[in-house]
Amino acid sequence: MSGSVVVRARRVVLPEGERPAAVHVTDGVVTAVTGFDDAGGDPVTLADDEVLLPGLVDSHVHVNEPGRTEWEGFASATRAAAAGGVTTIVDMPLNSIPPTVNVKALQVKRQAAEGQVSVDVAFWGGAVPGNASQLTRLLADGAVGVKCFLLDSGVPEFPPLDDAGLRAALAALATVDGLLIAHCEDDDEIAAAPDPAGTSYPAFLASRPVAAEETAIGRLIAAARDTGARVHAVHLADAGALPMLRAARAEGVRITVETCPHYLTFAAEDVPDGDTAFKCCPPIREASHREALWAALAAGDIDLVVSDHSPCTPELKRLDVGDFGLAWGGIAGLQVALPAVWTGARARGLSLADVVRWMAEAPARLTGLTGKGGIAVGRDADLVAFAPDEQWRVGALHHRNPVTPYAGRELAGVVRAAWLRGRLLQEGGAPLGRLLSRGGTFPAPS
């Protein structure tokens, strides 16, 4: 953006707290944060029922393009993100084809995204058997870190790491202080569990027991302890793993952890049999886990909240037969992540400043996107006008496919406007997003 704009509100969530303020922007960057009455000129003034938030950073999004663009795609995913107040997403290295497991595949991913993104986009690389030598190259070419699975990922082109492979990846990453993020479920525990076939949600839940998460997280902690590498456990559903995570951190293991809106919103007791829109892995667990995850967020034991947006075509969800064993596992929720989390946070006496910490500041810090995550001088002017008290019912969304467990749910909080680097994002407007690396903006692909 060239030029200047001032956006002000009676409520602005800043790193130091909430207060009336005017945010001054020049060439896409915040240049000053002043008092509300010190806006000068002709400011954009938010309505009295709106709060100015920093744009959210969602560091766990499966865009699936190229290769499975019929599941989602950069154009539709980033429109959904913008509508939900998410101004930066980080794309996962699967389920696209090719998966982002080497520099050439990262370049293919960047070329697929170029020119069609409505928000800023960064990329994870992938760690799979035999590619440990590629991991530092992926980081050097701009990936914010690398992801691995500790069990079958569900797609054959992205196989899991065994303990030897995990330690080889961590040893390589430790040489450059790179980050590995891991899907933590254990194949052996799941193999010993009941089969998930059929329409019964309790049967599906029993097929992905808490022991699978806890065993895999224990493996990740042990490998991180032995290598000194930085690790991050994605999409925690099992509150029973929290004591081992707390203990590991207390002894100096460099591990962080996230959870997701669907684990904070839904409970296994309420999932209808046959409603495979709710299927994800690890699964939505009982209400006792949900409440313990909320308590852990409030206490700082969980670092961030991200969507794990993992859509597919309606056919792959097998709504025709409602079979949890056959259905693809993944929740479509990118556009509703902010209101879903705010609805739950407000009900538990938590604040918008808490939500911003979990959904903007912490994901930006995790991914090294230092220009994102907060309204502060020198950072990108990614801003959201949010009406926290407005109620709405989830209907049509910008996701490519309409299947979501949030359909018809009443939520609190509406995104009324968003600015990306000081430019207003408008439905149907030109794509304004850029492709990011941990150190800044990617050059345009040749």
Side-chain angles (χ1 to χ4, degrees):
M1 172 194 170
S2 59
S4 301
V5 66
V6 178
V7 182
R8 67 178 183 174
R10 294 291 180 187
R11 297 178 62 191
V12 181
V13 177
L14 301 167
E16 64 272 20
E18 182 184 305
R19 64 175 173 86
V23 181
H24 301 248
V25 180
T26 301
D27 295 337
V29 175
V30 176
T31 54
V33 180
T34 66
F36 180 88
D37 294 325
D38 298 326
D42 185 23
V44 176
T45 303
L46 269 56
D48 288 343
D49 66 337
E50 295 174 347
V51 183
L52 189 65
L53 309 178
L56 303 189
V57 178
D58 192 335
S59 56
H60 196 144
V61 178
H62 294 269
V63 176
N64 306 327
E65 184 177 4
R68 292 188 174 96
T69 311
E70 69 275 13
W71 294 15
E72 190 59 280
F74 284 105
S76 52
T78 58
R79 282 196 301 268
V86 177
T87 53
T88 302
I89 66 169
V90 189
D91 174 55
M92 283 290 164
L94 74 165
N95 304 300
S96 55
I97 303 173
T100 315
V101 296
N102 53 48
V103 168
K104 182 178 179 180
L106 178 56
Q107 291 169 346
V108 169
K109 183 73 70 85
R110 287 160 51 192
Q111 289 165 356
E114 185 70 29
Q116 59 169 334
V117 294
S118 297
V119 301
D120 286 351
V121 179
F123 303 94
W124 294 105
V128 295
N131 84 328
S133 64
Q134 297 291 316
L135 302 183
T136 58
R137 299 178 196 176
L138 278 164
L139 299 184
D141 202 55
V144 300
V146 298
K147 182 182 186 180
C148 75
F149 272 68
L150 300 184
L151 84 168
D152 179 18
S153 72
V155 292
E157 66 277 0
F158 201 93
L161 296 181
D162 60 16
D163 278 347
L166 173 62
R167 288 164 187 264
L170 289 177
L173 291 167
T175 64
V176 293
D177 200 32
L179 173 67
L180 180 133
I181 69 173
H183 179 124
C184 293
E185 289 182 283
D186 183 79
D187 260 332
D188 291 339
E189 295 286 354
I190 289 175
D195 187 88
T199 61
S200 166
Y201 188 78
F204 170 64
L205 184 61
S207 77
R208 315 288 294 210
V210 293
E213 283 192 79
E214 291 167 19
T215 299
I217 289 171
R219 290 166 53 198
L220 182 65
I221 289 170
R225 180 189 295 116
D226 292 346
T227 60
R230 289 192 298 134
V231 298
H232 176 79
V234 299
H235 50 49
L236 182 70
D238 166 36
L242 288 164
M244 76 171 73
L245 288 162
R246 280 193 295 265
R249 291 207 256 206
E251 67 173 89
V253 176
R254 297 197 295 164
I255 185 167
T256 50
V257 62
E258 70 189 33
T259 192
C260 303
H262 41 279
Y263 302 130
L264 299 169
T265 299
F266 304 113
E269 296 91 333
D270 302 324
V271 176
D273 283 351
D275 195 342
T276 52
F278 286 87
K279 180 181 177 179
C280 57
C281 300
I284 294 164
R285 301 199 184 278
E286 296 87 350
S288 59
H289 286 273
R290 179 186 65 195
E291 297 311 312
L293 294 174
W294 274 111
L297 274 169
D301 290 328
I302 295 175
D303 301 275
L304 55 145
V305 181
V306 289
S307 71
D308 187 13
H309 179 67
S310 186
C312 65
T313 61
E315 293 76 18
L316 289 174
K317 271 296 187 184
R318 297 311 307 263
L319 295 166
D320 55 336
V321 294
D323 191 318
F324 284 98
L326 297 177
W328 173 258
I331 299 288
L334 174 58
Q335 187 173 333
V336 300
L338 170 58
V341 173
W342 169 237
T343 299
R346 184 174 72 163
R348 292 164 177 84
L350 298 162
S351 70
L352 279 172
D354 294 319
V355 174
V356 165
R357 186 172 67 255
W358 305 325
M359 302 186 76
E361 294 172 10
R365 184 167 56 249
L366 179 80
T367 53
L369 298 174
T370 55
K372 305 295 185 180
I375 301 173
V377 172
R379 295 195 184 182
D380 289 352
D382 300 341
L383 308 170
V384 174
F386 186 62
D389 297 324
E390 184 174 341
Q391 302 283 323
W392 64 291
R393 192 172 297 279
V394 178
L397 300 170
H398 289 281
H399 308 152
R400 182 179 295 273
N401 292 296
V403 179
T404 177
Y406 293 99
R409 191 173 186 89
E410 186 169 293
L411 298 174
V414 171
V415 173
R416 292 188 180 159
W419 293 261
L420 180 66
R421 286 172 275 102
R423 297 180 68 178
L424 184 65
L425 294 173
Q426 297 176 297
E427 187 174 342
L432 300 177
R434 294 179 180 175
L435 306 185
L436 305 178
S437 72
R438 191 173 188 273
T441 304
F442 276 128
S446 58

